[in-house]
Amino acid sequence: MKLFLIIALSAPAVPMFALMMPLVIFIPPFYAEQMGLGMAAVGGIFTLGRLFDVVTDPVAGIIMDRTQKRFSKRFWVVMGAIPLSIGTVQIFFAEPPGDTASLMVWIVVLYAGWTLMSVGLYSWGGEVTENYHERSRVMGAIQMANNAGTIGVLLVPAAIEMIGVEGDIAVLRVQAMGVFILGMLPVTLLIAWFFAPPSSHTSKQTSPLLPALKDALGTRSLRLLLIADLAVGLSIGIFTSLTLFLIEIVLSLDGAAGSLQLVMLISAFLGIPFFVYVAS
C-alpha cells in the first residue's frame, strides 16, 4: 500500500488524540480550580464519563457491524466528529462559574463522538488490507498520527508558557488547545474522506455480543493481549492524570507542564518507527 494512502487514513487520529491529552491533563484542574467545581466533583464526573465510554465502545462496534452494508467506516468517523466538536466547544470555551450537570452532559457527548471516531478509524485501518505486515504499518501510522496530534496540541500551551502572555495562563492554554483541535478536525477528515483507501473486505455475518465475547475470551493469546493492554492503559492513565499536579504543585514548576509533556511525547514519537519495524 502506498505511503500516501496510509497517511490519509491515519490523518483523523491527529485531532482525535490531540483532544485526549488536554482532556486528561489540563481540563480536570481547569474545572476544579478556574471553574470552581473542586477536585472531588470533577474526578467523579470524569470517572462516570470514562465508564460511559467503556459501555459505548462495544455498542458502537455492534452498530457498525450490523450496518456495514449501508454505512462505511469512513461515514462513522465523520459522524463521530460532530458530537466530538460540539463537546469540545462546550468544554474548552466554557465561562466560569462551572456547572457540574453541564460538564457531565458535555463529557458524555464528547465521549460518544470519540467512540464513533476511534472505533470507526481502528476498524477501518484493520480492513484496508489483508496483509499482516501492511496492517502493522497502518496501525503504526495511526499511532504516529496519535503522537503527532498530542505533540501539536502541547506545542500550544508550551508556546504560551514560554512567551509569557498576559492573562490567566490556565484559561488561555485550554482555549488555545480547543482552537487547535477544532481547526484540525475538518482538515484531516477531508483528507481521509477523499484520499484514504476503502475497506478491502467486510464480514459476511455478525455474531451476537455475548457469544462473540465468550469465544474471544476463550482464546488464551487474546486474554494475555487484553491483560497487557489493560496494564499499559492503567499505567499511562495514572501517569498522565497526575502529571500536571506533580509538575506544577509537587515540584513547584508553575506553568511548565506543557513544555515537559512535550519533551516526553517527542521521545515517544521518535521510538515508534523502531517498534513498527520490529512488529513487521
Side-chain angles (χ1 to χ4, degrees), residues 23 27 30-31 87-94 103 106-107 110:
L23 199 64
I27 294 296
F30 171 74
Y31 270 84
T88 299
V89 170
Q90 296 297 327
I91 291 171
F92 283 70
F93 299 93
L103 178 60
W106 294 119
I107 284 290
L110 187 146

Side-chain angles (χ1 to χ4, degrees), residues 99-124:
D99 176 72
T100 53
S102 177
L103 178 60
M104 184 73 250
V105 168
W106 294 119
I107 284 290
V108 168
V109 170
L110 187 146
Y111 274 129
W114 162 260
T115 293
L116 289 176
M117 285 194 73
S118 60
V119 174
L121 184 63
Y122 277 115
S123 55
W124 185 7

Side-chain angles (χ1 to χ4, degrees), residues 8-20 53 56-57 59-61 64 72-88 109-126 139 142 181-182 184-190 192-193:
L9 172 62
S10 62
V14 173
M16 280 170 51
F17 289 96
L19 171 65
M20 285 296 104
D53 191 40
T56 56
D57 278 356
V59 172
M64 290 179 193
S72 66
K73 299 301 191 302
R74 192 192 315 254
F75 168 85
W76 289 112
V77 171
V78 173
M79 287 299 101
I82 297 172
L84 187 139
S85 299
I86 295 171
T88 299
V109 170
L110 187 146
Y111 274 129
W114 162 260
T115 293
L116 289 176
M117 285 194 73
S118 60
V119 174
L121 184 63
Y122 277 115
S123 55
W124 185 7
M139 291 304 168
I142 292 175
I181 294 162
L182 293 172
M184 290 299 297
L185 267 171
V187 174
T188 55
L189 288 172
L190 285 170
W193 185 270

